[in-house]
């Protein structure tokens, strides 16, 4: 997971993520080039977290009474895993619930097979639909993995009913506008195009062949409108696969998205979209990793709390990131910490009390000590 300005402390990040038992890297970064003295407090669950699944056509019932609140309002929540079989309009209906419900839908990052963390927020709704205070959320989703959260308005809780309705068919992607080549800049216009994913804005689709796993950047700096970039797996016969990444306003160019993500070897669609109904002229510059993947930043782990730079449940790590170097994320220097999650549950990494605009990243830590996949990302959530 990675997060900037999320939580109750303004520019001091408070990152909450659901983790499986395992070992992770927690990276103390700064927004842009910010650095300084920090505090990193770790809060761990007292009981293991469990998550059931919902499917198309299913109706589940339960109660949120006695649960815990990890996101959104102060009300307790229940989490469900949901696999959208194809792209289209999905409805999550809480009519029949006994309280004022609030429903959230998050991406479940599929690159992290050993952890269920919250990815980007896809939809959140309170009192939408025809059932008054009982939320009926209808949202266009792409084929992929999601986490659906039954929450309550304010501190409301009680017995709930959640019915899931899925679309009938999978629409094929539109024809691709061209192929992406590493190191090149593509130009064009989305004006007059059609919309098939994301917002109501028209899109242009491109094909990307990834031959080397690593960090890829798609920059729309220089575009004339508020851009949004999506990346999808490209299946057999040019079919549309699951969403891999989606970003709006990330990177250093304001409303012009600069999307950076780790991609495995394979075929992808890169979609230049617009926020809401925005359209116009775009520039899409693609930066790829070198032929040999760069060494991992595991050597940057800072020894400050415990042997080997570890921080544990209930501890607060302190330090000054000015002594670190930059290896991931923004241009700011970082400190790396190793963290062992003892049980599956909701963990909070709070930088409240730090002296600068903090940014926290969460990576898997592999058995050999190297840096594994980035688990999630968040800016201003």
């Amino acid at each position: 997971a990675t997060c900037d300005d999320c939580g109750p402390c303004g520019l001091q990040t408070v990152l909450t993520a659901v983790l499986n038992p395992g070992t992770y890297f927690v990276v103390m970064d700064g927004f842009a080039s910010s650095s300084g003295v920090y505090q990193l407090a770790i809060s761990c669950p007292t009981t293991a977290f469990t998550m059931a699944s919902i499917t198309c056509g299913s109706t589940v019932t339960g109660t949120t009474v006695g649960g815990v609140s990890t996101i959104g309002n102060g009300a307790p929540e229940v989490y469900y895993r949901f696999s959208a079989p194809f792209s289209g309009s999905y409805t999550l209906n809480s009519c029949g619930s006994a309280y004022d419900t609030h429903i959230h839908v998050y991406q479940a990052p599929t690159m992290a097979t050993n952890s269920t963390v919250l990815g980007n927020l896809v939809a959140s709704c309170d009192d939408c639909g025809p059932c008054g205070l009982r939320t009926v959320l209808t949202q266009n989703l792409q084929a992929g993995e999601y986490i659906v959260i039954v929450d309550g308005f304010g501190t409301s809780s009680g017995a709930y009913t959640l019915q899931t309705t899925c679309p009938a068919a999978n629409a094929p992607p539109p024809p691709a506008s061209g192929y992406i080549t590493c190191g090149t800049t593509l130009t064009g216009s989305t004006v007059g195009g059609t919309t098939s994913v994301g917002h109501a804005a028209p899109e242009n689709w491109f094909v990307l062949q990834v031959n080397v796993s690593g960090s890829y950047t798609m920059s729309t700096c220089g575009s004339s409108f508020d851009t949004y970039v999506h990346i999808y797996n490209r299946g057999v016969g040019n079919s549309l696969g699951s969403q891999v990444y989606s970003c709006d306003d990330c990177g250093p160019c304001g409303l012009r998205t600069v999307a950076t993500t780790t991609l495995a070897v394979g075929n992808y669609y890169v979609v230049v979209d617009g926020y809401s109904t925005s359209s116009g002229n775009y520039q899409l510059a693609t930066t790829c990793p070198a032929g040999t993947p760069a060494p991992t930043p595991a050597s940057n782990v800072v020894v400050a709390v415990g042997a080997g730079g570890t921080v544990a449940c209930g501890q607060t790590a302190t330090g000054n990131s000015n002594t670190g170097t930059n290896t991931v994320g923004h241009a700011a220097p970082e400190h790396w910490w190793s963290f062992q999650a003892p049980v599956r549950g909701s963990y909070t990494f709070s930088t409240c009390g730090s002296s600068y605009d903090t940014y926290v990243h969460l990576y898997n830590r592999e058995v050999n000590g190297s840096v594994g996949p980035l688990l999630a990302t968040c800016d201003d959530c």
Side-chain angles (χ1 to χ4, degrees):
T2 178
C3 179
D4 176 41
D5 303 349
C6 46
C9 288
L11 299 180
Q12 280 70 61
T13 295
V14 180
L15 170 63
T16 297
V18 176
L19 302 178
N20 277 335
T23 306
Y24 301 86
F25 282 119
V26 183
V27 186
M28 277 299 308
D29 196 5
F31 179 77
S33 58
S34 299
S35 62
V37 176
Y38 64 83
Q39 298 181 19
L40 175 64
I42 313 295
S43 299
C44 301
T46 55
T47 58
F49 177 90
T50 58
M51 186 187 305
S53 294
I54 54 176
T55 58
C56 292
S58 68
T59 299
V60 295
T61 59
T63 181
T64 61
V65 175
V68 296
S69 174
T70 58
I71 63 160
N73 301 331
E77 310 126 8
V78 174
Y79 284 51
Y80 288 98
R81 185 94 182 196
F82 174 61
S83 180
F86 35 72
S87 301
S89 179
Y90 290 78
T91 298
L92 300 163
N93 185 339
S94 69
C95 288
S97 299
Y99 67 105
D100 186 350
T101 56
H102 192 149
I103 295 176
H104 317 279
V105 179
Y106 287 83
Q107 289 177 332
T110 56
M111 75 285 288
T113 57
N114 74 328
S115 181
T116 306
V117 299
L118 298 180
N120 293 327
L121 178 65
V122 177
S124 182
C125 186
D126 176 43
D127 303 345
C128 50
C131 287
L133 299 181
R134 281 61 173 173
T135 295
V136 180
L137 187 154
T138 298
Q139 176 71 23
N140 285 327
L141 298 178
Q142 303 307 311
E145 300 297 318
Y146 297 90
I147 294 174
V148 176
I149 303 176
V150 180
D151 195 5
F153 178 77
T155 58
S156 299
S157 63
Y160 64 85
T161 297
L162 180 66
Q163 182 181 37
T164 304
T165 304
C166 301
N170 187 12
S177 299
Y179 289 82
I180 291 176
T181 302
C182 293
T184 62
T185 299
L186 298 171
T187 60
S189 175
T190 61
V191 175
T194 58
T195 179
S196 54
V197 298
H199 289 197
E203 311 130 9
N204 274 12
W205 288 62
F206 295 94
V207 173
L208 172 66
Q209 172 72 47
V210 171
N211 297 315
V212 176
S213 298
S215 178
Y216 288 76
T217 297
M218 288 79 180
S219 170
T220 64
C221 293
S223 300
S224 68
F225 64 105
D226 186 348
T227 57
Y228 205 125
V229 174
H230 318 281
I231 302 174
Y232 294 87
N233 283 311
R234 177 172 169 255
V236 177
N238 295 323
S239 61
L240 178 62
S242 60
Q243 187 176 78
V244 176
Y245 184 80
S246 183
C247 185
D248 176 42
D249 301 346
C250 50
C253 288
L255 298 181
R256 280 61 173 174
T257 295
V258 180
T260 298
T261 190
T262 299
L263 297 177
V265 173
N267 292 290
Y268 298 89
Y269 283 116
V270 178
V271 185
V272 179
D273 194 6
Y275 178 77
S276 187
T277 58
S278 298
S279 62
N281 297 321
Y282 63 82
Q283 298 181 17
L284 178 66
T286 303
T287 304
C288 305
T292 301
T296 65
S299 60
N300 292 335
V301 174
V302 179
V303 180
V305 171
T310 59
V311 60
C313 291
Q315 290 186 332
T316 298
T318 60
N320 190 326
S321 64
N322 285 314
T323 63
T325 57
N326 171 249
T327 56
V328 298
H330 290 198
E334 311 126 15
H335 278 188
W336 287 66
W337 298 89
S338 181
F339 171 68
Q340 177 76 39
V343 298
R344 178 178 170 82
S346 179
Y347 292 78
T348 298
F349 305 88
S350 171
T351 66
C352 294
S354 300
S355 68
Y356 64 104
D357 185 350
T358 57
Y359 204 120
V360 176
H361 314 282
L362 184 64
Y363 290 84
N364 275 325
R365 185 177 188 269
E366 306 295 354
V367 174
N368 63 1
S370 63
V371 179
L374 179 67
L375 300 181
T377 183
C378 177
D379 179 31
D380 301 341
C381 51

